[in-house]
Amino acid sequence: SKLLDLYDTVQISGRAVASKTDYPDTIVVDLVGNREEDSKKIATDLGISVGSLPEGEKKPDKSDFLIIVGKNSLPVTPSATPSAAPSQQ
């Protein structure tokens, strides 16, 4: 992952599905409340925004930061489009 490539001391404490699945943008949240500069650096390095913990989301235990992946960071799945097969004559 890009996060692990950028930071050799990062530990991912878990992965979970957010309570809401329609967040438009990916954000990093400073969960401890005193790591503003670090959260800005993470946001800049990953090309995301700094945000606050959205209402309804649970604060993970023993974590300094939370990254919520929004629709702008999800992989795009190409839709199936019919294609004409060459005729065999």
Side-chain angles (χ1 to χ4, degrees), residues 46-61:
L46 296 178
I48 61 177
S49 301
V50 175
S52 56
L53 187 66
E55 187 175 328
E57 294 297 341
K58 292 183 180 180
K59 181 178 174 181
D61 294 331

Side-chain angles (χ1 to χ4, degrees), residues 31-84:
L31 295 173
V32 292
N34 64 359
R35 308 276 307 266
E36 183 178 347
E37 290 304 313
D38 292 329
S39 60
K40 286 180 183 178
K41 179 167 178 19
I42 292 168
T44 299
D45 290 346
L46 296 178
I48 61 177
S49 301
V50 175
S52 56
L53 187 66
E55 187 175 328
E57 294 297 341
K58 292 183 180 180
K59 181 178 174 181
D61 294 331
K62 301 178 184 179
S63 295
D64 294 340
F65 301 98
L66 172 68
I67 296 176
I68 296 178
V69 179
K71 289 184 175 187
N72 68 337
S73 294
L74 294 176
V76 177
T77 305
S79 60
T81 54
S83 60

